């Protein structure tokens, strides 16, 4: 078990009752949460600290609000006794006490230094219709607190409305990647790729700036990066939307005295071999430090063929602020010795353009699917609403690589798989993003701006492949040509984009649009910069989907309660996925 030795970003001055696998600051100087998942007992143990001497509450919500939330409410009275209640919210009013079954159990609690601290537990799946299952993937956590304890001896002594004393976070409770503190790497060598007082343009709300860097010459032998830290300029956290580090193909040649540096579109001709192979990523809401699995490291220096890298920095200057300069970047920490495996990055999903993503307005659920076929996995070594990627083996879905039924653009965590998933040649992968545009009056297109959409799952894995970095799809232009009723092939995507922007939408057309996406032919592209292969699908391949299973919870009288859930699959071996970031630019993603 991984133990949180030193919690990152924790406010509470009170030590937790025990050690935990995970911890997070829910609200600065207000609320902290620790937890450990016990897969044997199929339960989760929480410890919640809130800066109050009143009641505190933690809930699991199906969609981020009160409605349908399963909530544990507790307080410590003046005699030091802990009170804890299992509650359920039918609507936005006060959650009722669940008198059918009690599934939240307090273990211990105390008040100290103005903080209320309670340790409690719950089964991952209680099979109770008034509870929310804690699934693998993202979970929506809500919390709230009051200023005084309830007085249950009085008719009006129940909990009072919390007002603004509340919050919501989306956290992968079973796969959260704890961010270590920087002092863990203080004795290691490191190097940085960093902007130098770059003046962020004030003429546009969206800027993509690219700069090429060369690996330091002092790295004369191959070494392994074991962690990296996003160096986000503290003064510009409102501007820096995300940064990507790309490898430049080994065939790339630059003048080291004049490395490209400018707006990405302006210098793109020089970067054509530098925009596919991802080497690192940070997005808004993500932890600053990412540490790799102990058996793998990212290779740099020596005879490793990649010598040049590009930082692509996305600035979202919504207020068109002027005179803003930025020195954000990334730092790489080098291990003291080589690890067993070289680590790589692999992404699944769709191209971020209008040929791949065109979402109608005023629609509650719109699915966009992509597929990476067994042809792409031949490169493997031998021996919104939600986003998911499924592993397809022998034309059958065997398990989710990740299923983010709840996704929040503002919290793009690294998700660490509970157990590494091992893959074979011949495996296929299906990715789906589900969008909600009920708050939009116009079409939403794929693209780089914050108001546009992306749909990508980015994974780290080992052993590294040098010929497969991505597998992305988009609707074939022939399908768009038929939809547009055009007699000529579409060769200019800007014309397609303009046609999409000019559509007058009706509810019937929005429904028909999903039917078009379901039946449209697709082009898939996979490989690396300068060497992408293409595969055509007249329709996305069908596969046998995951089968329902019955939830069973043993009762004290040996009877069983059952509900319907979803099956997961066996473990496999050889090609190992470690962790991933669902990366979606969202305006209306639910």
């Amino acid at each position: 078990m991984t133990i949180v030795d030193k919690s990152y970003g924790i406010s509470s001055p009170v030590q937790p009752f025990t050690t935990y696998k995970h911890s997070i600051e829910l609200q600065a100087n207000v609320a902290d949460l620790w937890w450990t998942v016990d897969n044997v007992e199929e339960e989760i143990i929480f410890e919640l600290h809130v800066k109050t001497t009143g009641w505190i509450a933690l809930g699991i919500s199906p969609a981020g609000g009160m409605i349908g939330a399963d909530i544990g409410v507790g307080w410590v009275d003046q005699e030091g006794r802990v009170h804890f209640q299992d509650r359920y919210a039918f609507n936005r009013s006060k959650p009722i006490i669940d008198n059918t079954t009690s599934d939240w159990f307090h273990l211990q609690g105390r008040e100290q230094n103005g903080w209320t601290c309670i340790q409690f537990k719950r089964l991952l799946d209680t099979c109770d219709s008034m509870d929310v299952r804690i699934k693998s993937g993202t979970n929506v956590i809500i919390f709230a607190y009051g200023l005084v304890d309830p007085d249950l001896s009085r008719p009006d002594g129940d909990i009072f409305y919390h007002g603004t004393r509340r919050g919501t976070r989306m956290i992968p409770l079973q796969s959260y990647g704890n961010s270590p503190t920087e002092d863990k790497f203080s004795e290691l060598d490191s190097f940085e790729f960093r902007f130098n007082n770059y003046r962020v343009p004030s003429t546009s709300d969206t800027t993509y700036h690219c700069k090429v860097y060369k690996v330091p010459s002092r790295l004369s032998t191959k070494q392994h990066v074991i962690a990296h830290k996003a160096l986000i300029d503290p003064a510009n956290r409102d501007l820096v939307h995300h940064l990507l580090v790309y490898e430049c193909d080994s065939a790339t040649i630059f003048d080291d005295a004049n490395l490209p540096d400018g707006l990405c579109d302006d210098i793109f001709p020089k970067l054509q071999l530098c925009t596919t192979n991802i080497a690192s990523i940070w997005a808004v809401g993500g932890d600053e430090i990412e540490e790799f699995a102990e058996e793998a490291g990212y290779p740099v220096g020596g005879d490793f063929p990649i010598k040049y890298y590009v930082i692509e920095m996305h600035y979202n200057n919504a207020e068109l602020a002027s005179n803003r300069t930025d020195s954000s970047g990334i730092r790489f920490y080098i291990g003291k010795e080589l690890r067993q495996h070289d680590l790589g990055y692999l992404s699944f999903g769709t191209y971020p353009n209008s040929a791949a993503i065109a979402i109608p307005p005023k629609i509650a659920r719109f699915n966009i699917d992509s597929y990476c076929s067994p042809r792409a996995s031949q490169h493997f070594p031998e021996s919104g609403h939600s986003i998911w990627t499924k592993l397809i083996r022998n034309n059958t879905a065997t398990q989710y690589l990740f299923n983010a039924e709840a996704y929040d653009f503002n919290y793009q965590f690294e998700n660490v798989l509970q157990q590494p998933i091992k893959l074979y040649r011949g495996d296929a992968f299906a990715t789906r993003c589900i969008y909600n545009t009920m708050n939009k009056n116009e079409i939403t297109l794929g693209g780089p701006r914050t108001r546009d959409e992306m749909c990508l799952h980015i994974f780290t894995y080992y052993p590294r492949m040098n010929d497969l970095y991505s597998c992305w799809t988009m609707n074939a232009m022939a399908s768009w040509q038929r939809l547009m009723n055009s007699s000529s092939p579409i060769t200019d995507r800007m014309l397609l984009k303009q046609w999409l922007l000019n559509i007058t939408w009706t509810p019937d057309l929005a429904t028909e649009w999903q039917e078009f996406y379901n039946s449209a032919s697709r082009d898939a592209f996979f490989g690396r910069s300068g060497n992408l292969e293409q595969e055509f699908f007249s329709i996305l391949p069908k596969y046998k989907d995951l089968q329902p299973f019955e939830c069973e919870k043993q009762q004290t009288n040996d009877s069983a309660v059952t509900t319907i859930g979803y099956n997961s699959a066996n473990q496999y071996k050889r090609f190992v996925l470690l962790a991933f970031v669902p990366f979606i630019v969202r305006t209306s993603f639910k």
Side-chain angles (χ1 to χ4, degrees):
M1 176 184 295
T2 302
I3 301 297
V4 177
D5 296 314
K6 185 173 182 180
S7 300
Y8 182 74
I10 292 297
S11 305
S12 173
V14 184
Q15 283 293 109
F17 289 105
T18 186
T19 52
Y20 294 90
K21 187 173 182 179
H22 306 288
S23 68
I24 194 169
E25 184 180 64
L26 295 176
Q27 184 178 341
N29 203 36
V30 171
D32 299 320
L33 182 67
W34 292 258
W35 72 98
T36 294
V37 176
D38 186 333
N39 290 308
V40 175
E41 298 295 331
E42 296 184 340
E43 67 182 14
I44 184 167
I45 299 175
F46 292 105
E47 185 167 336
L48 178 64
H49 291 199
V50 181
K51 191 176 184 180
T52 183
T53 55
W55 60 267
I56 64 176
L58 184 78
I60 312 297
S61 169
M66 285 282 291
I67 299 175
D70 173 28
I71 304 170
V73 178
W75 64 94
V76 180
D77 66 22
Q78 292 183 351
E79 283 72 40
R81 292 174 299 194
V82 179
H83 303 259
F84 210 76
Q85 300 173 334
D86 182 351
R87 291 186 177 237
Y88 180 81
F90 280 103
N91 46 45
R92 291 185 176 86
S93 60
K94 180 173 63 180
I96 66 168
I97 295 178
D98 182 353
N99 289 317
T100 58
T101 62
S102 183
D103 297 305
W104 294 84
F105 303 96
H106 80 269
L107 302 175
Q108 52 190 326
R110 64 187 173 210
E111 283 185 1
Q112 184 175 327
N113 298 331
W115 289 69
T116 296
C117 314
I118 302 180
Q119 183 190 57
F120 49 95
K121 69 177 183 177
R122 208 208 79 167
L123 290 175
L124 296 174
D125 193 351
T126 67
C127 302
D128 184 347
S129 61
M130 294 179 72
D131 292 340
V132 178
R133 182 182 175 206
I134 299 176
K135 300 178 179 180
S136 176
T138 49
N139 311 104
V140 186
I141 301 297
I142 60 175
F143 65 95
Y145 63 99
L147 300 180
V148 297
D149 293 340
D151 183 356
L152 300 183
S153 66
R154 298 169 48 190
D156 62 346
D158 203 354
I159 59 174
F160 290 93
Y161 178 57
H162 48 64
T164 60
R165 297 182 296 273
R166 62 182 180 181
T168 301
R169 292 292 294 269
M170 292 195 180
I171 306 172
L173 288 173
Q174 297 194 51
S175 59
Y176 177 60
N178 294 297
S179 182
T181 55
E182 191 170 12
D183 56 9
K184 182 174 182 178
F185 313 107
S186 60
E187 297 182 359
L188 297 182
D189 188 13
S190 66
F191 65 95
E192 298 178 359
F193 296 152
R194 196 166 188 169
F195 285 9
N196 183 20
N197 291 321
Y198 170 66
R199 187 172 296 278
V200 180
S202 59
T203 54
S204 173
D205 62 351
T206 297
T207 297
Y208 275 78
H209 192 90
C210 290
K211 181 174 174 60
V212 175
Y213 298 84
K214 188 176 183 180
V215 174
S217 58
R218 59 185 171 82
L219 301 180
S220 57
T221 59
K222 175 184 166 181
Q223 301 185 56
H224 273 153
V225 170
I226 64 169
H228 59 74
K229 178 182 181 181
L231 305 172
I232 307 304
D233 194 323
N236 295 322
R237 291 186 178 277
D238 60 324
L239 292 182
V240 180
H241 178 277
H242 71 257
L243 70 86
L244 283 167
V245 181
Y246 291 101
E247 298 175 359
C248 293
D249 188 88
S250 58
T252 306
I253 299 175
F254 289 120
D255 176 2
D256 291 352
N258 188 27
L259 293 174
D261 180 3
L263 296 177
C264 298
D265 285 345
D266 292 347
I267 64 174
F268 178 76
K270 301 177 182 179
L271 305 180
Q272 294 189 45
L273 296 180
C274 304
T275 57
T276 301
N277 309 345
I278 292 174
S280 187
I281 180 174
W282 177 89
V284 62
D287 291 319
E288 291 182 351
I289 299 179
E290 178 186 348
E291 184 178 12
F292 300 135
E294 62 183 15
E295 66 269 30
Y298 180 81
V300 292
D303 60 359
F304 184 61
I306 307 302
K307 304 302 180 185
Y308 296 97
Y309 293 84
V310 171
I311 281 190
E312 175 193 273
M313 194 82 72
H314 175 194
Y315 295 101
N316 179 34
N317 189 1
E319 303 299 324
L320 301 181
S322 58
N323 299 320
R324 297 286 294 273
T325 58
D326 182 63
S327 297
S328 297
I330 190 166
R331 177 182 299 141
F332 297 94
Y333 297 100
I334 301 173
K336 293 183 178 180
E337 55 188 34
L338 286 177
R339 294 182 168 184
Q340 183 179 359
H341 300 287
D342 286 351
L343 178 142
Y345 287 81
L346 177 62
S347 61
F348 301 116
T350 65
Y351 272 92
N353 60 33
S354 55
I357 301 176
I359 310 165
K362 301 298 181 185
I363 191 164
R365 179 186 175 97
F366 190 80
N367 300 339
I368 294 183
D369 292 303
S370 65
Y371 189 83
C372 186
S373 80
R375 181 177 159 191
S377 68
Q378 293 305 313
H379 292 262
F380 289 2
E382 291 186 23
S383 5
H385 179 82
S386 59
I387 178 173
W388 52 247
T389 294
K390 292 176 183 174
L391 168 62
I392 315 296
R393 179 167 288 140
N394 298 324
N395 208 38
T396 300
T398 63
Q399 68 186 112
Y400 285 105
L401 298 184
F402 187 69
N403 182 15
E405 291 192 1
Y407 173 85
D408 190 331
F409 160 82
N410 294 301
Y411 299 106
Q412 300 195 53
F413 293 108
E414 177 204 16
N415 299 270
V416 179
L417 299 173
Q418 289 181 285
Q419 295 292 330
I421 297 176
K422 303 180 182 181
L423 308 176
Y424 287 119
R425 285 185 175 181
D427 286 340
F429 306 89
T431 300
R432 169 176 288 181
C433 287
I434 306 170
Y435 299 88
N436 180 316
T437 59
M438 294 301 293
N439 64 333
K440 299 294 291 292
N441 295 314
E442 57 188 24
I443 194 170
T444 304
L445 300 178
R449 301 174 303 172
T450 306
R451 66 174 67 101
D452 297 328
E453 292 288 358
M454 294 183 184
C455 177
L456 294 175
H457 250 156
I458 302 171
F459 293 81
T460 56
Y461 72 93
Y462 67 77
R464 172 191 171 90
M465 298 173 290
N466 292 321
D467 53 0
L468 180 63
Y469 291 80
S470 62
C471 186
W472 299 355
T473 64
M474 64 180 178
N475 295 341
M477 300 310 290
S479 290
W480 287 116
Q481 180 184 343
R482 288 191 294 271
L483 185 67
M484 295 170 65
N485 197 26
S486 172
S487 59
S488 303
I490 301 172
T491 57
D492 186 347
R493 290 182 188 161
M494 290 304 297
L495 293 178
L496 169 63
K497 182 176 181 178
Q498 192 58 51
W499 180 81
L500 291 167
L501 292 172
N502 290 337
I503 292 176
T504 300
W505 291 98
T506 65
D508 288 342
L509 178 57
T511 300
E512 294 171 5
W513 205 257
Q514 182 68 77
E515 296 172 358
F516 162 70
Y517 261 80
N518 292 344
S519 60
S521 55
R522 303 293 209 283
D523 286 318
F525 299 86
F526 55 91
R528 62 178 175 84
S529 289
N531 190 26
L532 290 175
E533 299 181 46
Q534 182 175 355
E535 185 172 9
F536 175 77
F537 301 113
S538 58
I539 191 170
L540 283 178
K542 305 295 183 183
Y543 55 87
K544 183 179 178 181
D545 211 343
L546 299 172
Q547 298 300 306
F549 74 96
E550 291 187 341
C551 167
E552 298 185 359
K553 184 178 74 171
Q554 196 70 23
Q555 305 297 300
T556 55
N557 61 359
D558 291 330
S559 63
V561 176
T562 62
T563 59
I564 298 299
Y566 285 93
N567 195 8
S568 62
N570 300 322
Q571 301 291 323
Y572 300 96
K573 59 183 181 179
R574 189 59 188 95
F575 176 77
V576 184
L577 290 176
L578 297 172
F580 50 92
V581 177
F583 186 62
I584 308 169
V585 175
R586 176 183 74 88
T587 55
S588 54
F589 194 77
K590 180 181 178 184

